[in-house]
Amino acid sequence: MGLRWIGARLIGEPGAYPALDGLRAFAILLVLARHATLPFANFDSDSLAAVQGVAWLVLRNGWLGVDLFFVLSGFLIARTLSHERHRGWTGGFPSSYLKKRVLRTFPLYYAIIAICMLGVLPGYSIEVDRPLVELAIHAVFLQDYLGTQLLVPLWSLATEEKFYLLAPFLVAIVWRQDHAGKRLAFLSFLMMLSVAARAMNWMVLSPDHYPEFFWQVRAPFHGCLDGLMVGVICFELSRIAVCKRVIEHRAGVVLATSAGAAIVILGAREWAQPGTMGMTLLAIPAFSVCCGAALLASLFIKGRGLRFMGSRSLRVLARLSYALYLTHYTTIEASVAWAEGLAGGSAGFVPLFLIFYLFLSFAYAVVLHLAIERPFLRLKARIR
């Protein structure tokens, strides 16, 4: 009874675009894969032989999964605001939109901050130099610029929230243009402006190691706008009749091609390492464009493709993706300690770590989704 009740609530009903659940599931799998490699990135063991080469590079480059999240957010926010427009919204800040965004993101976000600050998670410990300052930074979503001592993944929430505030004014400007070409040109300009801003940061600050590159170039909101803009561009393209007809007749080919190109980017080399920073600046927007093409194809995918992309297993991952994103990083320390304690030798460490890492990540995510996220999502669904 209990497991059946939990399963029914995790599977739920498919959304307006079932295949987008598949993309969201792939995004969180990439992020989980990236952080799963951290404890043994330099681990010398025969047990890692199976994940050497391209597969290992795909795992290590899983941090690009956040850009897939950005593309999805850009599309879905543009779609939400389009619905508001059809209901009579002409500008300003629609109150129902703000309420929905708050109910969607705030409860779980502030809950994980409180949990981390209180130190109640087994095996996860942090040392915060200035707790009140740290809380203030996260309260106003500035950790993408000022860094975080709580949880590294919280940086992307700061960029998302800034976009949520900016989006109504942005799309109001875009939709004043009476020609689709002008709208797409303006959005493309904003996308390239973000790429240029990230490149400027890199040239001025010259970070040569991943942590410096991450906080100085990768994380700041102005350097993440390109992925979000790709999502908004996808929404605009999905409303153009000619584009819809072309993609609808070749959705499977477009999806396969864009997915293949994304895998090539992931497996080309380990990005954001010394000597690769310049090319990394190109890999990020290139991956976002591939994700955008996959998103467009997913809107029109049918037959076996739809059954796969909208499958129950991927739908569960999609439903848990937010909770997984916020909690999985907290399980690494405990998983390492338990795996080291049980492993008879170095060869046994990797599988044990992965078992503990995945079990704890999903256990935390399920509990927080059912106890905190789901009740607020039900409130959000009542807002019209």
Side-chain angles (χ1 to χ4, degrees):
M1 175 67 178
L3 290 177
R4 188 174 298 177
W5 180 87
I6 292 173
R9 276 145 186 79
L10 292 181
I11 294 172
E13 296 297 326
Y17 302 110
L20 295 191
D21 286 339
L23 291 180
R24 187 174 288 107
F26 293 140
I28 191 59
L29 285 174
L30 283 173
V31 175
L32 287 171
R34 162 65 182 185
H35 292 144
T37 68
L38 295 182
F40 49 88
N42 299 312
F43 198 66
D44 186 16
S45 172
D46 292 338
S47 62
L48 292 182
V51 292
Q52 293 299 319
V54 173
W56 176 251
L57 291 175
V58 171
L59 297 176
R60 291 292 291 164
N61 290 325
W63 56 271
L64 282 167
V66 177
D67 294 278
L68 176 51
F69 277 125
F70 286 155
V71 172
L72 288 166
S73 290
F75 174 84
L76 293 171
I77 291 302
R79 178 175 176 268
T80 298
L81 290 171
S82 178
H83 289 172
E84 293 287 343
R85 188 187 186 197
H86 291 154
R87 293 169 55 189
W89 171 66
T90 57
F93 211 96
S95 59
S96 60
Y97 164 81
L98 180 61
K99 291 175 185 176
K100 288 179 180 180
R101 290 299 91 204
V102 167
L103 290 172
R104 178 68 186 94
T105 59
F106 278 27
L108 200 53
Y109 171 78
Y110 286 115
I112 196 64
I113 290 174
I115 289 170
C116 289
M117 292 295 291
L118 293 172
V120 296
L121 285 176
Y124 184 70
S125 59
I126 56 170
E127 293 183 4
V128 179
D129 298 330
R130 297 175 296 173
L132 293 180
V133 172
E134 191 77 11
L135 285 174
I137 289 172
H138 287 82
V140 295
F141 296 96
L142 284 178
Q143 61 269 26
D144 55 333
Y145 285 98
L146 301 178
T148 174
Q149 292 180 297
L150 289 177
L151 277 176
V152 172
L154 294 180
W155 72 272
S156 68
L157 273 297
T159 65
E160 294 263 7
E161 293 301 327
K162 292 180 182 67
F163 177 69
Y164 295 157
L165 294 174
L166 175 66
F169 305 100
L170 171 66
V171 298
I173 295 172
V174 171
W175 289 336
R176 286 196 185 104
Q177 307 298 320
D178 57 358
H179 192 275
K182 293 181 180 179
R183 294 195 294 271
L184 291 172
F186 178 69
L187 291 170
S188 298
F189 169 75
L190 290 179
M191 184 190 78
M192 295 308 299
L193 196 63
S194 177
V195 175
R198 192 161 51 230
M200 185 69 70
N201 272 14
W202 174 67
M203 287 187 291
V204 171
L205 301 172
S206 300
D208 194 40
H209 297 284
Y210 182 76
E212 289 80 9
F213 176 86
F214 180 84
W215 289 114
Q216 296 173 2
V217 177
R218 163 70 170 166
F221 167 71
H222 63 271
C224 294
L225 198 57
D226 51 328
L228 294 160
M229 287 301 99
V230 168
V232 180
I233 290 171
C234 287
F235 178 76
E236 285 296 317
L237 290 173
S238 72
R239 301 198 300 168
I240 299 174
V242 174
C243 180
K244 288 172 65 175
R245 285 197 298 271
V246 171
I247 297 176
E248 191 169 10
H249 285 88
R250 294 289 183 268
V253 174
V254 174
L255 181 60
T257 303
S258 57
I263 292 172
V264 168
I265 293 172
L266 289 169
R269 65 192 304 177
E270 185 172 345
W271 302 111
Q273 298 300 309
T276 71
M277 300 300 185
M279 292 299 294
T280 300
L281 297 176
L282 299 177
I284 294 172
F287 184 77
S288 296
V289 170
C290 290
C291 292
L295 188 155
L296 277 174
S298 297
L299 301 180
F300 305 104
I301 197 75
K302 296 177 181 177
R304 294 182 179 178
L306 179 60
R307 287 197 294 272
F308 170 69
M309 293 291 289
S311 64
R312 289 187 171 189
S313 56
L314 293 182
R315 202 186 312 161
V316 169
L317 275 172
R319 188 155 297 230
L320 289 175
S321 61
Y322 186 43
L324 274 170
Y325 185 79
L326 292 181
T327 59
H328 75 279
Y329 201 82
T330 67
T331 70
I332 295 175
E333 191 175 338
S335 300
V336 168
W338 294 351
E340 287 178 342
L342 290 177
S346 60
F349 171 78
V350 174
L352 283 172
F353 165 76
L354 291 176
I355 291 171
F356 290 132
Y357 171 67
L358 293 174
F359 174 78
L360 288 176
S361 296
F362 278 90
Y364 289 175
V366 168
V367 170
L368 289 177
H369 172 75
L370 295 176
I372 298 174
E373 185 180 15
R374 180 177 165 80
F376 284 98
L377 289 179
R378 293 173 67 182
L379 288 176
K380 171 178 171 284
R382 298 176 187 172
I383 298 175
R384 295 290 182 265

